[in-house]
Amino acid sequence: MIDLTPALLAQLHAAAFSDSRAWSVDEMQALLSSPPIFAVGTMRGFAMGRVIVDEAELLTIAVHPDQQGNGIGRRVLTLFEDKARSRGARLAFLEVAEDNRPARALYASAGWTESGRRIGYYARQTGCAVDAIMLAKHLP
């Protein structure tokens, strides 16, 4: 496994989310300094989450655009779920932009189900806000 440095995470996040504000190196460092937070992945993609008691939250998942469609997203999602389970999580949550069809298809195929919606949650550089679809999954 590689060392997922804050710089690498910020670089991948910026590449994957070019239509919104990327997380900075300092933000990645601050997140990773919190004991409940963890990151798993490769040089081409990662997932970052946290576990508190028996609940996990997927904070972000990012795959470099040149590598999307190659199964990396599925691999890092599985790594996230496994790591969350190993930390005692039994239920996981995430939010995904309504217009992110590839991610929504990935989550649906991995057994995540819709649990709610946040209207206008994601800001876009175009000025239009996009709803967040909230998803949940039991981690037996």
Side-chain angles (χ1 to χ4, degrees):
M1 207 38 102
I2 65 156
D3 185 21
L4 296 173
T5 66
L8 175 60
L9 298 177
Q11 179 184 23
L12 285 169
H13 197 268
F17 295 100
S18 61
D19 64 342
S20 58
R21 189 187 76 76
W23 296 358
S24 70
V25 174
D26 289 342
E27 288 170 315
M28 293 294 187
Q29 179 62 49
L31 285 165
L32 291 172
S33 69
S34 176
I37 305 284
F38 64 91
V40 292
T42 72
M43 293 289 293
R44 295 179 288 247
F46 75 94
M48 180 181 285
R50 71 176 145 218
V51 173
I52 298 176
V53 187
D54 63 348
E55 292 184 349
E57 179 182 11
L58 178 63
L59 299 173
T60 192
I61 186 170
V63 174
H64 193 281
D66 294 346
Q67 300 297 316
Q68 291 176 359
N70 293 332
I72 295 168
R74 181 169 306 281
R75 190 169 344 144
V76 296
L77 180 60
T78 299
L79 289 171
F80 162 79
E81 292 175 5
D82 291 346
K83 183 74 161 184
R85 253 187 232 98
S86 76
R87 288 182 166 212
R90 297 295 163 244
L91 184 62
F93 300 95
L94 66 83
E95 295 158 347
V96 61
E98 182 178 36
D99 62 354
N100 190 340
R101 298 203 188 290
R104 290 180 63 193
L106 169 65
Y107 298 136
S109 71
W112 292 77
T113 58
E114 189 170 335
S115 61
R117 175 180 296 260
R118 294 184 180 182
I119 306 299
Y121 186 75
Y122 291 105
R124 294 287 191 250
Q125 290 181 356
T126 61
C128 298
V130 176
D131 291 354
I133 306 298
M134 298 172 359
L135 303 176
K137 180 178 181 178
H138 288 279
L139 300 174

